[in-house]
Amino acid sequence: MTSLRVGVAGALVVVALVLQVAVFPHVAWEGVVPDFCLLVVVAAALVRGPEFAAALGFFAGLMLDLAPPADHVAGRWALALVVVGYVAGLMRQDTRTPATTVVATVAASSFVGTSVYALSGIVLGEPVGSFGDLTRVILVALLWDVLLTPLVLPGVMRLLARLEPASAR
Amino acid sequence: MPRRPDAFDERAARSRLRSRMIALVLACLTLMTLDHHPGPGSPLEPARDAMGSVFGPVESGTSSAIRPVTAIGNWFTTRRRMQDDIAELQSENSRLKAQQATSQYQRNQLAEYQGLTSAADTLRQALVPAHVVAYGPAQSFSRTVTIDAGSAAGVAPDQTVLNDDGLVGRVLRVTRTTATVLLIVDTESVVGGRVGASMKVGFLTGRGGLGDHGTLELQLVDQAAAPAEGDTVVTWGSKDGAPYVSGVPIGRVTAVYASLRESSQRAVISPYVDFGALDLVGVVVPSGTHSDRGLIEADGTLR
């Protein structure tokens, strides 16, 4: 069961990554695409809590850092998504998560994720663009993520909840 | 009988979470330290290669599956832009309308390939045709794309990538079936350029920028010379054509300003290539390269 759970979560991340780099750039606003990987990590956090989500965030971030066409210092998205997994995991509730909480968590996670990524770039001396571009990217990414939440999160959360071990419910 | 969780269990769970978080954050920091200078010397390069050979085919497959759909979108944006100067382009517009009635997509592709063929002919260079299959998200603040030609097609790092409009970028790394290309609008990209009108040489640096608003900055080596607005800039070229061959059009000077601090003239270059809608590109390879696909030879013939 554990291996199935890990396999499904991994497959979700791979699908998210392909959507993010190969499909959605065609409808992107100035190159900003929805963070599907981040949405999967947030869904995992709301269903399974911070521990699982942070580990999944590390895996998803590593994929984003290494899969082509990425060319930044590896570990930057990994760090951003580990933080997202942890923060979003703190919002998990034992009962069914209300829709408003889900949307608020996605919005906060998107802001935190892109900001942590940009900050790590500033620390490492990698290019992050001007302040205006930076804020615009963060805001547009947040808008994208919130817009896609009703389409992505319910399905992913239901899938992950079905695979949850009975003892943890 | 199952025991109810008590305060002790909770504390244990919390300390386990804390130690796992510390481990994950340390792992990230280790990765960043190891990869501090991405490039051929990085210890993570084998991992990048492996990911490239796994994800490259997936990206190519996805991209070719959705290409007919995205081509429709391209056609609409092209038309919208044309409407800006409708008087000048009315005849062209009606031709496009006629094309819509016939097989729009194939015709566009044919025109693109024809453009690439004539580019090969003008530059006297052999080209490997390739499609852009994946784009780096703007959230990553770097301008890179994946193309669906790799070492099997004869592509190698530090080769010039162009399309029928002008210079696109250079190859950073290759796997067997894909290659990662650094676009010239990336802030880490530097291209040697030559102003067509005065033959003065200089360096073009990407200024980042989002979407198709990417621009370049030109600084001439001769600091007394000032390029004029509207001048064209072409590549200057390096030894053995790596990373850039000479004579590829880059863009047009749109603004000139004096930098007081460095007492030099800088110019803003608007590139000919529309980086928001990249599709078919060509990689400049040595003539006679062994390739797994049709090669556009220097005289414009397909081989």
Side-chain angles (χ1 to χ4, degrees), chain A residues 21 30-31 33 68-69 72 74 127, chain B residues 35 48 59 135 138-139 144 187 213:
Chain A
V21 299
E30 303 219 323
V33 290
H72 50 264
Chain B
D35 197 37
R48 280 212 162 87
E59 285 170 3
Y135 298 74
Q139 285 100 313
T144 49
T187 42
H213 303 306

Side-chain angles (χ1 to χ4, degrees), chain A residues 18-141:
Chain A
V18 171
L19 282 176
Q20 197 166 328
V21 299
V23 178
F24 270 74
H26 296 287
V27 290
W29 184 86
E30 303 219 323
V32 186
V33 290
D35 302 290
F36 284 99
C37 291
L38 181 132
L39 291 180
V40 170
V41 172
V42 172
L46 290 176
V47 176
R48 303 281 319 272
E51 216 176 309
F52 179 78
L56 186 67
F58 180 75
F59 171 69
L62 200 60
M63 303 277 259
L64 270 175
D65 285 329
L66 295 181
D71 187 49
H72 50 264
V73 174
R76 289 176 63 195
W77 272 119
L79 180 66
L81 292 185
V82 164
V83 173
V84 162
Y86 178 74
V87 172
L90 298 181
M91 300 296 290
R92 182 171 86 122
Q93 294 166 3
D94 287 332
T95 52
R96 201 172 153 274
T97 320
T100 45
T101 314
V102 175
V103 172
T105 311
V106 166
S109 301
S110 169
F111 180 79
V112 169
T114 324
S115 304
V116 168
Y117 177 84
L119 283 178
S120 69
I122 293 171
V123 171
L124 291 169
E126 295 238 294
V128 291
S130 66
F131 182 74
D133 279 354
L134 185 65
T135 15
R136 226 166 27 183
V137 166
I138 291 177
L139 289 181
V140 175

Side-chain angles (χ1 to χ4, degrees), chain B residues 35-284:
Chain B
D35 197 37
H36 192 196
H37 297 290
S42 163
L44 284 173
E45 210 52 25
R48 280 212 162 87
D49 271 0
M51 285 292 279
S53 39
V54 175
F55 267 91
V58 179
E59 285 170 3
S60 307
T62 315
S63 181
S64 56
I66 61 166
R67 190 164 296 130
V69 181
T70 55
I72 299 170
N74 281 349
W75 186 75
F76 279 117
T77 44
T78 315
R79 242 197 93 181
R80 199 187 309 146
R81 211 163 290 145
M82 279 175 179
Q83 275 164 349
D84 294 343
D85 37 10
I86 204 155
E88 196 185 336
L89 290 172
Q90 206 121 46
S91 59
E92 178 129 35
N93 211 350
S94 60
R95 189 174 58 83
L96 279 175
K97 272 185 192 148
Q99 279 187 10
Q100 185 203 18
T102 57
S103 170
Q104 173 63 41
Y105 175 56
Q106 271 99 354
R107 270 169 180 266
N108 270 357
Q109 266 204 324
L110 187 62
E112 273 181 332
Y113 275 107
Q114 269 170 349
L116 209 55
T117 313
S118 64
D121 196 17
T122 329
L123 291 169
R124 318 296 307 161
Q125 302 281 358
L127 297 178
V128 170
H131 278 286
V132 172
V133 295
Y135 298 74
Q139 285 100 313
S140 291
F141 301 106
S142 64
R143 303 295 304 268
T144 49
V145 296
T146 311
I147 56 173
D148 64 356
S151 55
V155 177
D158 278 343
Q159 285 176 338
T160 314
V161 182
L162 44 84
N163 70 4
D164 49 345
D165 292 326
L167 185 66
V168 171
R170 67 182 163 92
V171 177
L172 278 180
R173 62 175 70 87
V174 294
T175 67
R176 219 181 67 73
T177 54
T178 60
T180 304
V181 176
L182 181 74
L183 304 182
I184 52 169
V185 285
D186 188 279
T187 42
E188 302 216 307
S189 154
V190 179
V191 188
R194 188 188 287 280
V195 180
S198 60
M199 294 303 271
K200 294 279 185 193
V201 291
F203 293 99
L204 292 112
T205 320
R207 306 214 301 172
L210 305 174
D212 25 340
H213 303 306
T215 50
L216 300 153
E217 187 176 86
L218 169 70
Q219 188 176 15
L220 293 178
V221 173
D222 177 359
Q223 305 199 330
E229 250 175 68
D231 276 358
T232 56
V233 181
V234 299
T235 52
W236 161 16
S238 339
K239 188 171 178 285
D240 299 330
Y244 295 107
V245 294
S246 63
V248 185
I250 302 173
R252 208 165 39 79
V253 178
T254 51
V256 181
Y257 60 93
S259 163
L260 290 174
R261 193 162 52 109
E262 292 160 50
S263 68
S264 64
Q265 306 268 355
R266 284 161 182 268
V268 179
I269 313 293
S270 142
Y272 290 126
V273 174
D274 179 3
F275 290 99
L278 282 177
D279 188 20
L280 185 75
V281 296
V283 184
V284 177

